[in-house]
């Protein structure tokens, strides 16, 4: 039975922690307007904002295919939201900046990296042991950040700071304003120094590529270089971390699937793809309308915020048969949009899948079974754009 829920609840901690009942209850009413961020009375600089939530797969795909009408330049709608290259860019600038990132994340380059990523996975799992382990802090948080630090050319020893900055970026609605400002200021001081060092002594890493890149025949400004490096850090920290955690949580509740994968490794990739559909690490993506648009029977005016609810689209019964069931190997999984679509398809999607695949196979090599730890897992309840665990106690045997 589908629960009754108000659109006003979409931004609440309870729905952030488990959005899927809300999607099922509200999908037929999509698009619907809801309070995306509530003003903080203790912070004079905070502001409330409303957005239209799109929850049907077809509507979200239409919006992703029309960046001219559904712009990524959402900072235009806020007084105090920072602009980040690539995330907030539209064509043609987005296309040019994406080429810069693709130089380090092309399929050939990512395939070359798989060897040392596998070594890092083995090193971290050896250090973690069978547990009991709090898997998020012990593995899922640091692995993607350490991989991306290597690609960027940043010190591995600084990965904890990178994660802290990423949390400050995504927790715009919950983290105390002073704490968030302090962490983002730390990042603002750190990155220009790293960029200046690489400009003076290029080493072929991604930061070196960024310092040498040109857009419209001009080098990127120092501010835009720092912003682009920040985007890469944020993406690595949130998407892959949450995918790893969500997948291990699903497997901990399905021991028979663990045994099947140990016996037949061809099942690993279908299980990863179904985890991406069933519990998408990125739940919502914000857009800003540039002109009046019609979505279904609803007219949305220009200058309106629109949340593309990826997690709802991935469970749309109009596209996915029996969408509330975790079913690896389903033929319709190709329609998932967890990494986006079109020009904004995540350039790190292949890298993320490789990190997860290497992790799962290494764990299957080591352990006959997986189960949850004694203390309960805890979902993050602060950032509406993400779906993942804050803590995930596990035991491997």
């Amino acid at each position: 039975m589908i629960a009754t829920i108000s659109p006003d609840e979409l931004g609440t901690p309870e729905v952030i922690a488990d959005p899927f009942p809300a999607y099922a209850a509200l999908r037929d009413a999509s698009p619907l307007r809801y309070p995306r961020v509530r003003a903080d009375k203790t912070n004079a600089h905070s502001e409330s904002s409303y957005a239209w939530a799109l929850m049907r797969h077809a509507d979200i795909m239409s919006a992703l295919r029309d960046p001219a009408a559904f712009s990524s330049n959402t900072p235009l709608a806020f007084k105090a939201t920072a602009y980040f290259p690539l995330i907030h860019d539209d064509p043609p600038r987005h296309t040019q900046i994406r080429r810069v990132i693709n130089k380090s994340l092309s399929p050939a380059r990512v395939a070359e990296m798989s060897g040392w990523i596998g070594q890092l996975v083995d090193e971290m799992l050896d250090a973690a042991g069978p547990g009991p382990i709090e898997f998020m802090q012990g593995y899922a948080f640091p692995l993607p950040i350490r991989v991306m630090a290597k690609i960027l050319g940043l010190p591995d020893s600084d990965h904890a700071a990178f994660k802290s900055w990423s949390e400050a970026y995504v927790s715009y609605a919950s983290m105390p304003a002073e704490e968030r400002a302090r962490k983002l200021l730390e990042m603002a001081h750190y990155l220009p120094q790293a960029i200046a060092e690489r400009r003076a002594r290029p080493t072929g890493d991604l930061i070196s590529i960024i310092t040498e890149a040109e857009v419209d025949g001009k080098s990127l400004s120092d501010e835009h270089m720092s912003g682009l490096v920040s985007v890469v850090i944020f993406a690595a920290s949130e998407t892959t971390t949450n995918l790893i955690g969500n997948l291990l949580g699903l497997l901990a509740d399905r021991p028979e699937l663990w045994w099947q994968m140990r016996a037949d490794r061809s099942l690993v990739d279908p299980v990863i793809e179904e985890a991406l559909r069933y519990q998408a690490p990125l739940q919502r993506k914000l857009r800003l309308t540039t002109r009046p648009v019609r979505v279904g029977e609803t007219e949305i005016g220009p200058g309106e915020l629109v949340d593309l609810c990826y997690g709802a689209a991935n469970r749309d019964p109009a596209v996915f048969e029996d969408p509330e069931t975790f079913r690896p190997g389903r033929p319709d999984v190709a329609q998932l949009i967890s990494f986006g679509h079109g020009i904004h398809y995540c350039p790190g999607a292949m890298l993320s899948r490789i990190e997860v695949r290497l992790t799962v196979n290494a764990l299957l090599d080591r352990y006959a079974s997986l189960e949850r730890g004694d203390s309960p897992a805890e979902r993050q309840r602060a950032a509406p754009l993400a779906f993942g665990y804050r803590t995930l106690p596990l035991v491997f045997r």
Side-chain angles (χ1 to χ4, degrees):
M1 182 176 178
I2 296 177
T4 301
I5 189 169
S6 164
D8 289 354
E9 298 177 61
L10 279 174
T12 63
E14 294 74 21
V15 171
I16 291 171
D18 182 14
F20 304 108
Y23 295 154
L26 296 171
R27 188 181 289 107
D28 288 345
S30 171
L32 49 91
R33 199 164 185 263
Y34 79 103
R36 190 174 189 272
V37 178
R38 291 175 171 83
D40 180 358
K41 295 180 180 179
T42 66
N43 178 11
H45 297 289
S46 76
E47 51 191 316
S48 60
S49 66
Y50 282 77
W52 291 90
L54 270 59
M55 297 187 178
R56 294 191 181 99
H57 189 281
D59 294 340
I60 293 171
M61 288 293 285
S62 294
L64 289 170
R65 291 173 178 142
D66 191 1
F70 294 89
S71 170
S72 296
N73 193 7
T74 54
L76 289 175
F78 300 98
K79 297 174 185 175
T81 299
Y83 154 81
F84 286 99
L86 200 65
I87 288 180
H88 295 139
D89 281 319
D90 295 317
R93 184 176 178 82
H94 173 273
T95 307
Q96 295 171 316
I97 293 180
R98 187 182 175 96
R99 289 195 192 107
V100 177
I101 300 298
N102 284 346
K103 290 182 179 179
S104 282
L105 297 178
S106 67
R109 290 289 293 270
V110 171
E112 290 174 4
M113 299 173 199
S114 61
W116 64 259
I117 294 174
Q119 293 174 2
L120 179 60
V121 166
D122 286 336
E123 170 193 317
M124 292 181 62
L125 291 179
D126 287 344
I133 176 178
E134 199 295 281
F135 194 72
M136 301 308 292
Q137 295 291 340
Y139 184 86
F141 285 150
L143 174 71
I145 286 289
R146 293 182 68 181
V147 169
M148 192 51 66
K150 172 85 169 178
I151 293 171
L152 285 164
L154 295 173
D156 181 74
S157 57
D158 292 343
H159 71 265
F162 304 155
K163 178 60 184 174
S164 175
W165 301 337
S166 178
E167 289 173 346
Y169 171 70
V170 301
S171 300
Y172 54 82
S174 59
M175 183 176 289
E178 290 185 2
E179 179 184 357
R180 185 169 189 260
R182 175 179 56 78
K183 290 183 176 182
L184 294 178
L185 186 61
E186 288 176 4
M187 181 177 67
H189 286 156
Y190 178 98
L191 293 180
Q193 297 177 24
I195 289 168
E197 290 172 2
R198 208 66 83 256
R199 185 189 287 115
R201 291 179 296 277
T203 56
D205 52 43
L206 182 50
I207 291 184
S208 298
I209 291 172
I210 289 172
T211 64
E212 297 166 351
E214 291 188 351
V215 175
D216 291 331
K218 298 178 181 179
S219 298
L220 294 172
S221 68
D222 287 357
E223 180 181 5
H224 283 183
M225 288 182 194
S226 292
L228 190 52
V229 174
S230 301
V231 166
V232 174
I233 291 173
F234 298 157
S237 174
E238 296 305 319
T239 304
T240 308
T241 286
N242 290 331
L243 174 55
I244 292 173
N246 292 343
L247 175 57
L248 268 292
L250 289 164
L251 292 173
D253 297 331
R254 294 164 173 79
E256 72 289 346
L257 186 54
W258 186 267
W259 303 331
Q260 291 167 9
M261 288 195 301
R262 287 199 90 208
D264 182 0
R265 298 304 175 88
S266 70
L267 298 176
V268 170
D269 281 356
V271 167
I272 293 172
E273 294 306 299
E274 178 65 348
L276 273 167
R277 182 199 70 86
Y278 192 71
Q279 294 184 347
L282 181 65
Q283 287 289 306
R284 309 180 197 179
K285 196 70 173 174
L286 194 62
R287 293 290 187 265
L288 182 69
T289 56
T290 62
R291 57 173 173 78
V293 294
R294 186 176 182 85
V295 181
E297 301 301 316
T298 303
E299 294 284 349
I300 300 176
E304 293 276 354
L305 292 170
V306 177
D307 251 330
L308 310 182
C309 297
Y310 289 1
N314 283 340
R315 295 198 186 192
D316 188 342
V319 176
F320 300 98
E321 182 182 353
D322 191 17
E324 301 300 322
T325 299
F326 184 78
R327 200 176 77 199
R330 56 170 61 239
D332 48 22
V333 76
Q335 303 300 316
L336 68 85
I337 52 175
S338 302
F339 284 118
H341 178 79
I343 66 166
H344 283 284
Y345 185 78
C346 176
M350 182 179 177
L351 177 64
S352 181
R353 285 184 167 103
I354 283 180
E355 290 178 51
V356 179
R357 184 184 305 128
L358 290 170
T359 295
V360 172
N361 275 300
L363 287 168
L364 291 170
D365 289 342
R366 285 168 167 76
Y367 303 116
S369 66
L370 160 67
E371 59 192 57
R372 290 184 181 266
D374 293 334
S375 55
E378 181 183 346
R379 287 284 183 185
Q380 77 85 18
R381 301 156 64 87
L385 63 84
F387 182 74
Y389 287 100
R390 199 178 72 82
T391 63
L392 178 62
L394 295 176
V395 180
F396 298 92
R397 302 191 186 283

